[in-house]
Amino acid sequence: MRFVVIFEEGSEMVPVREAHEPAHLAYLEQHRAEIRMAGGLRNHHGGPYVGGLWVFEVESRERAVTLIEQDPYYRAIPRKYRLLAWGKALPQHDVLM
């Protein structure tokens, strides 16, 4: 099943990102078979982060929640997020490798 999660964050995440980025990136790498794409969101390139987005390929919504809530960033400071089921408009264009 495919899901996307959109994280919301503010300036409170700056020290969390600084302290936990290596562990966060290692976590994403460890779970790359399920967290297929991930990255920070900004209002414009080079601006401060305002959130993040992950694309999942997981067995269930519950598994996506577990992955979200075990991430080092989330464990340091729970961020507000929206978890949404996701389908593709052009199924023949599979960008998830």
Side-chain angles (χ1 to χ4, degrees):
M1 294 179 193
R2 288 194 175 132
F3 292 90
V4 296
V5 63
I6 301 170
F7 296 100
E8 294 181 25
E9 64 185 65
S11 60
E12 75 283 350
M13 277 297 291
V14 171
V16 173
R17 282 182 177 276
E18 291 171 0
H20 299 282
E21 183 178 45
H24 167 72
L25 294 176
Y27 182 82
L28 293 175
E29 182 64 32
Q30 177 186 1
H31 297 286
R32 73 180 321 173
E34 295 174 292
I35 305 170
R36 304 299 297 272
M37 299 175 79
L41 298 173
R42 306 168 191 243
N43 286 320
H44 54 84
H45 290 284
Y49 289 106
V50 297
L53 177 115
W54 295 0
V55 177
F56 295 100
E57 184 75 45
V58 291
E59 63 189 36
S60 67
R61 180 180 186 83
E62 292 76 20
R63 178 63 181 154
V65 169
T66 297
L67 288 165
I68 291 165
E69 295 183 359
Q70 293 300 310
D71 173 50
Y73 281 176
Y74 190 89
R75 291 175 62 103
I77 181 169
R79 301 186 280 177
K80 183 177 178 183
Y81 66 85
R82 290 181 59 203
L83 180 60
L84 304 166
W86 179 56
K88 295 185 331 181
L90 300 171
Q92 70 274 21
H93 294 128
D94 194 356
V95 297
L96 300 178
M97 298 181 210

